[in-house]
Amino acid sequence: MKTARKQQPVDTEELRAYLDRKVEQFNRPDFIADDPVCIPHMFTRKEDIEIAGFFAATLAWGRRPAIIASGEKLMQLMGMAPFDYVMQARDPDLERLDDFVHRTFNANDARCFVKALRHMYLHEGGLEHVFAQGADTGDMGVAIHRFRKVFFSQSHALRCEKHVSDPMRNSAAKRINMFLRWMVRRDKGGVDFGLWHSVSPSMLMCPLDVHSGTVARMLGLLNRKQNDWQAVEELTANLRKFDASDPVRYDFALFGTGVNREERWPGALRESL
């Protein structure tokens, strides 16, 4: 019986150099057009960017063209003024959302989110303030969990809760981590906004999905087989070894390599280092 050849560990400096090259390749403005981050990039006001980004990240499962199309449609239904819509929409205005659906996220969920966001801006200081309060614990998993409790603190349909993941239930919370990357990271790449200064980029956790997880495991950055919060913690801890102040910059390298299928799998990926 033929046994599998044991892979040799990747040299740390070679791996860092490879990841840095991939960040340079993907963390640039031409990444925006084909990614859900293009939805918040339609706006310039801070609150519009936050709300558009939160909805775009919530819709971010499935094929990227479909995600972007749904995000654009939702923004149009909000009159291309998401903050004003959230703050001012009454029942007749909310009827605009009646035909909206993206996979399992439907009009009822959209209306629930609008009302939850309105409460958050009116009574909790807004999205940044709520996340920043949780981040004061030094644990982004706890921060996301606390945000979720505030978000669903008002009367709502139970079905809406499935659209906001909870790390305390061992969810990878990929979409929320991606949203936080957009809002918090500050660099010259032009993709992430860096709007929030009350949360440190060093605290961010890497968005983990099938693409980034596949590449991370091939590169020896992730051993855990499940894409859950424990895997997020393991992966992010390893990325902090390369850049403790901004570990999630390497999301561009992992996701970009995975979604673009640049290397033949699996051997050539490691051989390309």
Side-chain angles (χ1 to χ4, degrees):
M1 181 177 176
K2 191 175 181 179
T3 57
R5 184 178 66 178
K6 186 176 180 180
Q7 289 184 330
Q8 296 300 312
V10 175
D11 179 86
T12 301
E13 289 308 313
E14 289 183 1
L15 179 54
R16 184 201 303 270
Y18 173 84
L19 292 171
D20 285 340
R21 288 198 305 272
K22 291 301 179 183
V23 172
E24 290 296 317
Q25 179 179 347
F26 295 112
N27 185 16
R28 53 199 314 155
D30 56 10
F31 178 90
I32 295 171
D34 298 322
D35 189 83
V37 75
C38 72
I39 302 302
H41 271 284
M42 299 165 68
F43 304 98
T44 56
R45 183 165 61 166
K46 176 178 184 283
E47 292 82 5
D48 284 334
I49 293 169
E50 291 173 344
I51 292 172
F54 186 71
F55 274 109
T58 299
L59 301 177
W61 79 99
R63 295 177 62 252
R64 288 195 293 170
I67 296 166
I68 293 168
S70 291
E72 290 175 344
K73 179 179 180 180
L74 186 57
M75 294 303 102
Q76 290 164 2
L77 291 172
M78 293 182 177
M80 299 303 292
F83 180 65
D84 289 344
Y85 183 84
V86 162
M87 301 305 292
Q88 300 171 15
R90 297 298 178 257
D91 288 342
D93 304 302
L94 293 173
E95 290 177 4
R96 295 186 209 166
L97 305 177
D98 282 353
D99 295 326
F100 182 80
V101 62
H102 176 82
R103 297 175 73 93
T104 64
F105 189 91
N106 62 24
N108 291 329
D109 299 316
R111 286 189 285 266
C112 171
F113 271 46
V114 167
K115 293 175 181 178
L117 286 166
R118 181 186 303 155
H119 173 82
M120 191 166 287
Y121 279 95
L122 284 175
H123 304 291
E124 303 290 347
L127 280 164
E128 179 180 4
H129 182 71
V130 174
F131 273 111
Q133 282 189 315
D136 286 344
T137 65
D139 186 328
M140 191 53 73
V142 172
I144 294 171
H145 172 74
R146 291 187 176 183
F147 161 79
R148 189 177 185 274
K149 288 183 68 175
V150 173
F151 190 77
F152 290 120
S153 61
Q154 303 302 296
S155 176
H156 63 279
L158 188 61
R159 61 160 283 124
C160 296
E161 295 187 6
K162 68 181 179 180
H163 297 298
V164 182
S165 299
D166 187 353
M168 298 298 102
R169 298 179 182 175
N170 207 27
S171 168
K174 174 251 183 178
R175 289 173 287 168
I176 298 181
N177 283 322
M178 182 174 67
F179 168 70
L180 291 170
R181 195 203 84 198
W182 295 346
M183 296 300 107
V184 173
R185 281 198 69 251
R186 300 181 286 276
D187 68 8
K188 298 177 182 178
V191 180
D192 296 328
F193 293 91
L195 287 176
W196 293 2
H197 298 280
S198 55
V199 179
S200 170
S202 65
M203 286 193 62
L204 294 176
M205 306 297 285
C206 190
L208 179 61
D209 65 6
V210 63
H211 302 294
S212 56
T214 296
V215 176
R217 291 180 181 96
M218 288 180 175
L219 295 176
L221 293 167
L222 178 60
N223 291 316
R224 187 169 176 80
K225 294 180 179 179
Q226 298 94 330
N227 283 349
D228 56 15
W229 190 254
Q230 288 176 261
V232 171
E233 291 180 320
E234 178 189 346
L235 174 58
T236 307
N238 283 324
L239 296 178
R240 286 196 174 106
K241 296 174 185 177
F242 301 127
D243 190 340
S245 65
D246 187 17
V248 175
R249 67 191 292 262
Y250 294 111
D251 180 37
F252 288 101
L254 300 176
F255 176 79
T257 298
V259 79
N260 285 278
R261 293 293 197 271
E262 291 190 316
E263 289 86 5
R264 293 170 58 193
W265 310 95
L269 178 59
R270 292 169 63 90
E271 292 168 7
S272 67
L273 296 179

